[in-house]
Amino acid sequence: MSTTSAKIAPKFEVKSRASLASAPTKISVSNLNFFYGRTQALNDITVDVPERMVMAFIGPSGCGKTTFLRTLNRMNDVIPGTRVGGNVLIDGQDIYTPGADVVDLRRKVGMVFQKSNPFPKSIFDNVAYGLKINRLAANNRELRDRVEEALKDAALWTEVKDRLKTSALGLSGGQQQRLCIARALAIRPEVILMDEPASALDPIATSKIEELIVDLKKQYTIVIVTHNMQQAARVSDLTAFFLLGKLIEVNSTEKMFTAPDQKLTEDYITGRFG
Amino acid sequence: MSNEVHRHLDEELDALRDRVLRLGGEAESALRRVMHSLAERDTAEARAVLDHDDTIDQLEVEVDRQAIDIFALRQPAARDLRFVMSVTKMAPVLERIADHACNIARAAIDLHHEPQLKYHVSLYRMGEIALEMLAAALDAFTKNDAVAARVVMERDSEINELYNQVFHDLIEMMADEPATAQRDARLLFIAKHLERIGDYVTDICELTVFMAEAAIIKHRH
């Protein structure tokens, strides 16, 4: 028999997958505005990305999520006529401060793109490339060790260890994308930005990339842009919803997909947007 | 998702809502008929309730199938997820309420073969409250109204108090008139079934609160 009390209040709230409150902040963005010429692409974005967690950016095409991702390692700098305002701090250091070392920033904040883009070189040389140009390996033995380590971390080693000298272009689409992840990991970044890393892959290759993302967060802070909401739900600890250049809501992924705070988010997630 | 796809999803959710409400209506009808049968010593009505139980079981299976299809094909999220989740948990609760109505029907048929006992006002009052609660709970679910659901939940204590009263009365009667003990025991089982129905209605209200507010209040009260 159950008995009711006069006051019935919620006992359990939806909890986050990870302990979000206790995680230190890796990236802190405040009042970020971004312009392509006179067009404002990002409006007053403020968000913190906790260390060693996965944050997913979702939103309709053109909402600014990729633009925002690219502000985190100053990839937009190469586009003429762009302007950025506000602050982006990584480990407390403003990456847009005059005199900031952009090469060092991109070493620290690696990026994986939507379309895999291996160099027309061998598998080994693809992964070794960043190590060589940054002179991060003291000798050939260390170079080999770090290539192997990166390929293992990218869950590709067992598939390619016997053909390291063959062309990377002979790998499948999913393998090429993991090779690009290995190439990013080889220089030991602290943050990995992923722009729709599995959008061109079949479900099996996608599943491998997703498993890899979950595995990599033990060591890295990961920010991923995805159009696939189920993917965001599967791999991320936090989800941020962008719309028309504005950040509408950031929440734990569980909360976002079961009970978002904002109606706009709910409309988007339930597919009733627009 | 295109507008056409949204329309299909909305239609499927509406169909699921309709079906679970039909199941709720059937459970409500079974309870109403069985209490009427008990009061009026109407064996035919009690048998009709038993005969109709297969239809209710079938409805529960259909709700399950529809919900599984929506989970598999539409991957509902947020309010849609909470709705489909609530329906899948509500359907077996409604079916269980109908099962309790059937158990009452069996006890009623046995009692109708015996001389009538004293009219137990509290027992029939339990039935009335259970019916009122069930109707109001289904109404709150239909309107996605967590406030109304919480009001219904508060009424479970009324049923519990009446159950305690009926329990003591019947135990006393068994002691005073051992010859009626078997009939008293059947009435006691009926009271217990009604008390359990009150608990099940509370479960339905908890699901409505979850659906409307995403708050899990199960085991809270």
Side-chain angles (χ1 to χ4, degrees), chain A residues 88-261:
Chain A
V88 179
L89 309 183
I90 295 183
D91 292 330
Q93 301 294 310
D94 189 347
I95 65 170
Y96 283 96
T97 198
D101 184 343
V102 178
V103 174
D104 187 53
L105 169 70
R106 292 183 190 146
R107 204 177 292 135
K108 196 171 180 178
V109 185
M111 192 158 187
V112 177
F113 298 88
Q114 181 175 3
K115 197 168 179 301
S116 56
N117 52 356
F119 305 133
K121 291 172 175 287
S122 71
I123 293 167
F124 183 92
D125 286 343
N126 262 274
V127 183
Y129 187 81
L131 296 168
K132 284 179 181 170
I133 61 164
N134 287 296
R135 296 186 180 150
L136 294 173
N139 50 49
N140 281 342
R141 184 190 176 87
E142 190 183 347
L143 186 69
R144 280 198 305 274
D145 288 348
R146 286 190 60 169
V147 167
E148 181 177 334
E149 178 189 296
L151 286 167
K152 281 179 176 167
D153 285 350
L156 191 60
W157 175 249
T158 53
E159 291 165 58
V160 301
K161 64 182 178 187
D162 298 325
R163 49 171 170 152
L164 292 173
K165 295 295 173 192
T166 62
S167 171
L169 302 179
L171 296 172
S172 70
Q175 287 172 326
Q176 285 189 13
Q177 192 62 305
R178 278 182 283 145
L179 181 70
C180 293
I181 293 173
R183 195 171 62 189
L185 297 179
I187 55 172
R188 293 181 180 159
E190 293 170 27
V191 177
I192 305 170
L193 309 178
M194 296 184 169
D195 190 0
E196 297 188 55
S199 63
L201 304 180
D202 67 43
I204 294 168
T206 297
S207 164
K208 284 186 179 168
I209 296 286
E210 289 179 2
E211 283 171 25
L212 182 57
I213 291 169
V214 172
D215 205 38
L216 288 174
K217 79 169 181 183
K218 291 171 196 154
Q219 288 174 267
Y220 307 95
T221 303
I222 299 171
V223 184
I224 176 173
V225 164
T226 179
H227 271 119
N228 181 336
M229 284 191 286
Q230 294 307 314
Q231 182 170 77
R234 285 191 294 265
V235 304
S236 69
D237 301 293
L238 291 150
T239 299
F241 171 53
F242 283 80
L243 182 66
L244 298 172
K246 290 181 182 164
L247 180 57
I248 305 298
E249 181 171 353
V250 185
N251 236 320
S252 75
T253 297
E254 286 87 346
K255 178 97 169 76
M256 206 73 161
F257 284 89
T258 57
D261 289 330

Side-chain angles (χ1 to χ4, degrees), chain B residues 27-41:
Chain B
E28 195 183 340
S29 168
L31 182 58
R32 177 170 292 111
R33 291 173 77 184
V34 80
M35 290 311 294
H36 179 262
S37 140
L38 191 64
E40 301 297 323
R41 295 174 68 81

